[in-house]
Amino acid sequence: AVVSTQSTGIAGGGAPEVELSIKLAQYAATLSGVESHCIKAFADALEIIPFTLAENAGLPPINIVTELRNRHAEGEAMAGINVKKCCITNITEENVLQPLLVSISAITLASETVRSILKIDDIVNTR
């Protein structure tokens, strides 16, 4: 099935970023060398999004992101930061959604920016 990114909503509240972060960290653990470090760093960087969300909502960001990461590690893929209730909930049950296209665009732009910087610094071969 083809998914239209124009109107597709995904879980909000930092849920997709933490889920992706965990999956990337698991993948990085299967690699070695520079590739492993780069993927792990990217996974860590994704956690800035829920951290900032918690911080902007006046919540303790370290505690919130730690709980969010733990809930995702336990298989709760839709766990997200509920800023109204000041806790982690199943964010889709709260109807907190974000456009898939926004997430895809942000991650793509961030990845392209990092790749450009690494090329400029001659850290990564251009392909």
Side-chain angles (χ1 to χ4, degrees):
V2 176
V3 176
S4 169
T5 57
Q6 296 297 329
S7 62
T8 302
I10 60 173
E17 292 83 9
V18 169
E19 187 69 18
L20 183 55
S21 175
I22 289 171
K23 299 296 184 197
L24 285 173
Q26 290 171 347
Y27 176 62
T30 67
L31 303 173
S32 62
V34 174
E35 290 85 7
S36 175
H37 292 294
C38 289
I39 292 171
K40 179 65 173 116
F42 191 88
D44 292 343
L46 285 170
E47 290 190 0
I48 295 298
I49 295 167
F51 186 93
T52 303
L53 175 61
E55 194 171 46
N56 289 343
L59 303 172
I62 294 172
N63 296 345
I64 290 291
V65 173
T66 299
E67 181 184 349
L68 184 58
R69 190 182 315 119
N70 290 339
R71 299 271 291 271
H72 277 261
E74 293 169 359
E76 294 182 49
M78 298 302 155
I81 301 169
N82 187 326
V83 297
K84 289 184 179 180
K85 294 182 178 177
C86 299
C87 63
I88 306 299
T89 63
N90 181 324
I91 212 69
T92 56
E93 289 176 359
E94 305 287 337
N95 291 319
V96 177
L97 302 174
Q98 63 190 35
L100 175 60
L101 185 58
V102 170
S103 294
I104 290 172
S105 297
I107 290 171
T108 301
L109 181 59
S111 301
E112 289 172 356
T113 301
V114 169
R115 189 163 185 245
S116 294
I117 291 168
L118 293 175
K119 281 183 192 177
I120 290 168
D121 291 342
D122 287 330
I123 295 172
V124 173
N125 293 334
T126 56
R127 295 179 192 200

